[in-house]
Amino acid sequence: SRLVAGYLLFDLPNQYAFAGRVNRVLIYGAGSTGRQLATSMRHEPGMVLQGYIDDDARLAGHRLDGVPIHSGTNPARLVEE
């Protein structure tokens, strides 16, 4: 598929070419805007998405595109990890 081809041709080589500091990122909001941000971050070799934070308790513990969704009740705990 186009997604796999894009990953193999662009994302994978860029991950190995990056020599700078890698930043672990949490996105606040697992809705459409959060997903758009995550999609654009996939093309940034210096950023690695660690998870989403969302206020909707029903989403906590689930995954969105393989990335965990955490409860928004204690975001400081996630930053410390």
Side-chain angles (χ1 to χ4, degrees), residues 9 13-14 28 33 46-47 66 72 81:
L9 293 174
N14 286 338
Y28 192 86
T33 304
M47 295 186 183
E81 291 178 4

Side-chain angles (χ1 to χ4, degrees), residues 2-47:
R2 289 188 294 167
L3 182 62
V4 173
Y7 175 75
L8 292 174
L9 293 174
F10 299 107
D11 295 338
L12 192 58
N14 286 338
Q15 288 176 355
Y16 294 110
F18 182 73
R21 182 171 181 238
V22 175
N23 296 300
R24 299 180 328 158
V25 178
L26 290 167
I27 293 178
Y28 192 86
S32 62
T33 304
R35 289 183 75 177
Q36 287 176 343
L37 181 58
T39 299
S40 66
M41 281 179 43
R42 286 191 187 109
H43 301 290
E44 295 295 327
M47 295 186 183

Side-chain angles (χ1 to χ4, degrees), residues 28 52-58 60 70-78:
Y28 192 86
Y52 295 92
I53 301 172
D54 201 280
D55 289 333
D56 188 346
R58 297 173 297 175
H70 304 280
S71 171
T73 57
N74 190 5
R77 175 188 57 82
L78 296 172

